Amino acid sequence: MSNLRDAAMSSKAWPFEEARKLLKRAEKGAADKGYILFETGYGPSGLPHMGTFGEVLRTTMVRRAFEAISDIPTRLICFSDDMDGMRKVPGNVPNQDMLQEHLQRPLTSVPDPFGEDDSFGDHNNAMLRRFLDTFGFEYEFYSATEFYRSGRFDDTLKLATERYDDIMKVMLKSLRDERQQTYSIFLPIHPETGRVLYVPMKHVDAANHTITFDDEDGREWTLPVTGGKVKLQWKPDFGARWAALGVDFEMYGKDHSTNTPIYDRICEILGGAKPEHFTYELFLDENGEKISKSKGNGLTIDEWLSYAATESLSYFMYQKPKTAKRLWWDVIPKAVDEYHQQLRAYPGQEPKAQIDNPVWHIHGGNPPESRMVVPFAMLLNLASVAGATDKDGLWGFIKRYAPEASPETHPDLDQAAAFAVRYFHDFVAPLRQFRAPDAKERAAMEDLVARLKAWEGGQDAEELQSLVFAVGKDHGFEPLRNWFKALYEVLLGASQGPRFGGFIALYGVDETVRLIEDALARG
């Protein structure tokens, strides 16, 4: 443990850099409440997307890193702002007309368009929890509706009436002149319509902790700010929540970063200590646009998990969180193979290198052994040339290449084989474009066939790679990647592919000879 802590205190892995900030915070008294509190927020106005999941995953990585350098207990709260009014109907849900009738009502007061839960907010909360549970996160789920209505937020809301002017000064500085005229930090829930009202306050009573306002019809109302009758605007809510709960760490996307000073100051006005923050870059769809809950663009968690194991998604999330990441189908195979490369490297690394390895953070310091003796990219190409329709169609080749492997002893490989067949048929096969070789490429491929027919070196991937390399060099390909590119385009219908020697070893020498001869006959 001491070796691990020593290494962690100088690690450049971003979760440890954040954990060390929290350790300094704890030394200043943040842990006097008995624990360090991590929080993530979720706005359930639409179905949960990758950004929501990524916040919980990455926060968990910081939490585990902190636990490696400190004995102070930790908690993680996933807070859903499900009392927020539904401002618009998401485009990717059913029963649009029905939802239109409930605009501006709290999400937990909007009927579930799927007909499965008590409300739309409950439906989206359930989806989020299912996603989080799939990955085995340890967390406590908080509903804003329950938090407001149960009275747990009452003391902070009362204090907000007493310090209303101070909070308003912070907010008004960030607003345009016209918005300043109607803005209030408090949003009343109309007693009759149940809608969240964006109206100016006529009076805020700090002694009785009430607000007075006119509704859209000009009728005057006075409501207590307690008991779920009123909610805070989302920016004040951020800072108030930090103060009420004693949050020590929260991360959020770059689109929130300009609001950080506002959140911090409101937290301090309401008697809290501003938490440590971590701002990550946004996820982008195939067109480079920010992914959105309401648009439903970009990949969903379920979509990723239809083609790869959970760990590959965790690996993708770990990498460079402060760099914008394109989240589209073609990143999946790369994430799978890089994850297993890191997993294979881990046992032979020194402790300092191990805690910098992404798999340490993905698995909380206890990564499993990789049994992926065949890369995912290779399985995709095997599915292509073998015409496999299920994983059983790949196992004959796999067992010849790795006789010790079986679905029982190599479950990660067995799972990957099934994913590879599905991924190939859905995304690779429709885009394949075979071409005929030119004269130079034809001569080189005929030479490769001749050398493979005379080959007596068995299934050694490195020796076969050297053979292919030598053919390209002898036929004057410069740079040599043009030779391999020609093999991929002519034989696989793609511009890139696996190490070709490894492919021959897996697919078989005789089978590769037939593959090349068939391609030359077509061309």
Side-chain angles (χ1 to χ4, degrees):
M1 179 62 77
S2 60
N3 287 341
L4 170 63
R5 288 193 174 178
D6 290 345
M9 292 305 291
S10 60
S11 171
K12 289 185 169 55
W14 66 263
F16 278 116
E17 291 179 341
E18 299 307 308
R20 290 195 294 270
K21 295 176 188 176
L22 283 168
L23 190 59
K24 290 180 180 178
R25 180 183 178 88
E27 291 168 353
K28 294 177 182 177
D32 289 351
K33 59 184 177 289
Y35 52 87
I36 290 293
L37 181 61
F38 296 81
E39 185 189 52
T40 65
Y42 168 53
S45 56
L47 307 182
H49 63 60
M50 285 290 193
T52 310
F53 163 76
E55 284 185 14
V56 183
L57 175 74
R58 289 166 168 169
T59 300
T60 296
M61 290 177 174
V62 177
R63 182 186 184 188
R64 296 299 175 231
F66 178 81
E67 291 171 344
I69 62 174
S70 172
D71 296 324
I72 298 172
T74 64
R75 294 172 59 196
L76 169 59
I77 288 174
C78 296
F79 197 102
S80 173
D81 190 15
D82 55 19
M83 202 171 168
D84 194 23
M86 186 175 68
R87 297 178 183 86
K88 61 181 179 180
V89 177
N92 58 346
V93 299
N95 294 309
Q96 301 268 310
D97 292 342
M98 178 275 288
L99 289 177
Q100 200 72 31
E101 299 174 7
H102 294 274
L103 286 174
Q104 300 308 328
R105 296 188 71 197
L107 290 159
T108 44
S109 298
V110 175
D112 178 17
F114 298 91
E116 299 171 353
D117 294 279
D118 292 339
S119 71
F120 189 33
D122 289 329
H123 177 87
N124 292 335
N125 287 342
M127 284 193 68
L128 175 68
R129 297 182 73 170
R130 178 170 60 83
F131 289 150
L132 301 181
D133 292 343
T134 297
F135 285 77
F137 290 122
E138 296 175 17
Y139 65 96
E140 301 166 47
F141 183 80
Y142 274 41
S143 159
T145 302
E146 190 275 335
F147 200 59
Y148 274 92
R149 290 178 181 172
S150 68
R152 296 184 65 184
F153 212 10
D154 282 356
D155 288 345
T156 300
L157 291 166
K158 290 177 181 178
L159 192 57
T161 64
E162 296 166 15
R163 300 179 182 177
Y164 180 76
D165 290 341
D166 291 336
I167 299 173
M168 284 292 288
K169 284 178 185 176
V170 174
M171 290 306 306
L172 292 178
K173 288 179 184 177
S174 69
L175 302 174
R176 299 188 304 273
D177 288 344
E178 65 221 44
R179 182 78 174 103
Q180 290 181 4
Q181 305 308 311
T182 60
Y183 182 84
S184 170
I185 65 169
F186 292 115
L187 300 178
I189 312 298
H190 197 289
E192 293 178 347
T193 68
R195 298 185 188 279
V196 180
L197 301 181
Y198 292 78
V199 292
M201 296 296 105
K202 296 177 73 173
H203 180 60
V204 175
D205 189 330
N208 294 309
H209 307 117
T210 61
I211 57 171
T212 301
F213 60 94
D214 289 341
D215 66 16
E216 299 105 319
D217 298 325
R219 291 185 295 167
E220 183 177 282
W221 298 84
T222 296
L223 296 177
V225 296
T226 55
K229 303 289 194 302
V230 173
K231 78 177 295 292
L232 290 170
Q233 289 261 17
W234 69 272
K235 290 179 186 177
D237 186 85
F238 237 98
R241 200 164 66 223
W242 289 348
L245 294 170
V247 174
D248 295 299
F249 180 90
E250 180 149 356
M251 67 165 61
Y252 36 76
K254 182 182 178 181
D255 49 348
H256 279 273
S257 59
T258 56
N259 297 321
T260 297
I262 295 173
Y263 305 153
D264 284 348
R265 184 63 192 126
I266 290 174
C267 175
E268 291 170 337
I269 290 171
L270 293 173
K274 63 184 181 182
E276 301 297 322
H277 326 100
F278 183 88
T279 303
Y280 59 83
E281 266 289 356
L282 304 177
F283 296 102
L284 311 175
D285 66 12
E286 61 174 332
N287 299 314
E289 297 179 358
K290 175 192 169 186
I291 62 173
S292 162
K293 291 192 294 289
S294 58
K295 287 182 183 178
N297 58 333
L299 296 189
T300 68
I301 299 172
D302 280 344
E303 285 172 336
W304 184 297
L305 298 184
S306 295
Y307 299 97
T310 55
E311 295 82 6
S312 62
L313 179 53
S314 299
Y315 175 83
F316 177 82
M317 290 290 177
Y318 175 87
Q319 296 294 99
K320 298 180 180 178
K322 288 187 175 290
T323 300
K325 300 167 79 69
R326 180 175 168 275
L327 183 57
W328 201 238
W329 300 107
D330 53 4
V331 305
I332 295 177
K334 183 172 183 284
V336 174
D337 283 340
E338 288 186 0
Y339 162 73
H340 280 280
Q341 288 168 10
Q342 297 286 4
L343 208 55
R344 286 191 293 272
Y346 183 85
Q349 293 175 326
E350 296 295 323
K352 185 173 178 55
Q354 284 184 331
I355 63 168
D356 286 343
N357 188 322
V359 301
W360 190 97
H361 301 275
I362 292 168
H363 296 283
N366 188 31
E369 177 189 3
S370 172
R371 308 287 284 172
M372 276 282 286
V373 294
V374 179
F376 191 74
M378 193 80 78
L379 292 171
L380 288 176
N381 286 284
L382 183 59
S384 172
V385 298
T389 57
D390 57 35
K391 65 180 181 178
D392 294 339
L394 302 185
W395 266 105
F397 297 96
I398 295 171
K399 288 186 73 67
R400 183 174 59 186
Y401 174 74
E404 77 287 356
S406 72
E408 293 73 29
T409 60
H410 292 61
D412 50 0
L413 178 58
D414 184 54
Q415 185 185 45
F419 284 139
V421 171
R422 185 181 305 160
Y423 187 96
F424 167 74
H425 284 287
D426 289 352
F427 301 110
V428 179
L431 299 177
R432 285 190 299 177
Q433 291 185 327
F434 295 93
R435 69 170 177 84
D438 61 26
K440 179 180 178 180
E441 293 164 349
R442 176 177 287 275
M445 290 181 192
E446 289 173 345
D447 186 8
L448 178 57
V449 166
R451 297 194 197 192
L452 287 174
K453 285 182 176 179
W455 179 254
E456 296 180 352
Q459 301 289 107
D460 188 283
E462 291 303 318
E463 290 185 9
L464 286 164
Q465 181 73 6
S466 297
L467 171 68
V468 180
F469 186 93
V471 171
K473 195 170 183 181
D474 290 347
H475 285 264
F477 284 91
E478 190 63 42
L480 269 170
R481 67 173 174 269
N482 290 341
W483 162 231
F484 290 98
K485 186 170 182 284
L487 288 169
Y488 303 142
E489 291 176 347
V490 173
L491 304 180
L492 302 175
S495 59
Q496 56 187 358
R499 283 174 60 84
F500 205 75
F503 171 76
I504 298 172
L506 176 61
Y507 188 48
V509 173
D510 293 340
E511 288 80 359
T512 303
V513 166
R514 285 195 294 273
L515 179 68
I516 299 172
E517 288 179 334
D518 288 347
L520 294 177
R522 286 197 307 269

